[in-house]
Amino acid sequence: ASGQLPEQLGLRQSVQKRFLADVFEASSATDSGWKILIVDEPSMRVISSAVGMYDIMERKISLVESLDKARAPFRDMSAIYIIEPNKD
């Protein structure tokens, strides 16, 4: 954006950086294998607007599943859950 310093990031870039580094790359530090990403609808909207499927797959996420739908068990794979916090 005009007038923006190179080290300043826009909202989309900040969210993208946080997801890629703090979620996907950090999870690879504990488990180097392929993983499944399980998200609720609000989280899916945020992730979809900030991170592309290519970037997700580059971080060893093989499948993105909805929390609200029935899923097949993948007992050999770790999962990353991203859900919207609520009072429940």
Side-chain angles (χ1 to χ4, degrees):
S2 63
Q4 195 175 39
L5 297 174
E7 65 272 2
Q8 291 178 323
L9 298 175
L11 178 60
R12 182 180 180 278
Q13 291 85 7
S14 294
V15 171
Q16 180 184 51
K17 183 178 177 182
R18 293 294 305 263
F19 272 115
L20 294 178
D22 297 343
V23 177
F24 303 129
E25 292 172 10
S27 71
S28 293
T30 58
D31 181 355
S32 61
W34 286 86
K35 296 164 215 52
I36 299 171
L37 178 63
I38 301 170
V39 296
D40 62 0
E41 186 59 35
S43 300
M44 177 62 88
R45 287 194 306 266
V46 171
I47 293 169
S48 295
S49 68
V51 183
M53 277 306 293
Y54 177 82
D55 294 318
I56 290 173
M57 293 190 73
E58 282 288 301
R59 272 60 178 197
K60 293 190 139 188
I61 305 294
S62 63
L63 188 61
V64 178
E65 293 274 345
S66 172
L67 179 67
D68 302 322
K69 296 183 180 170
R71 298 177 305 278
F74 289 90
R75 290 181 172 81
D76 316 359
M77 298 176 84
S78 296
I80 300 172
Y81 285 81
I82 301 176
I83 57 174
E84 176 185 46
N86 60 41
K87 294 182 181 183
D88 293 341

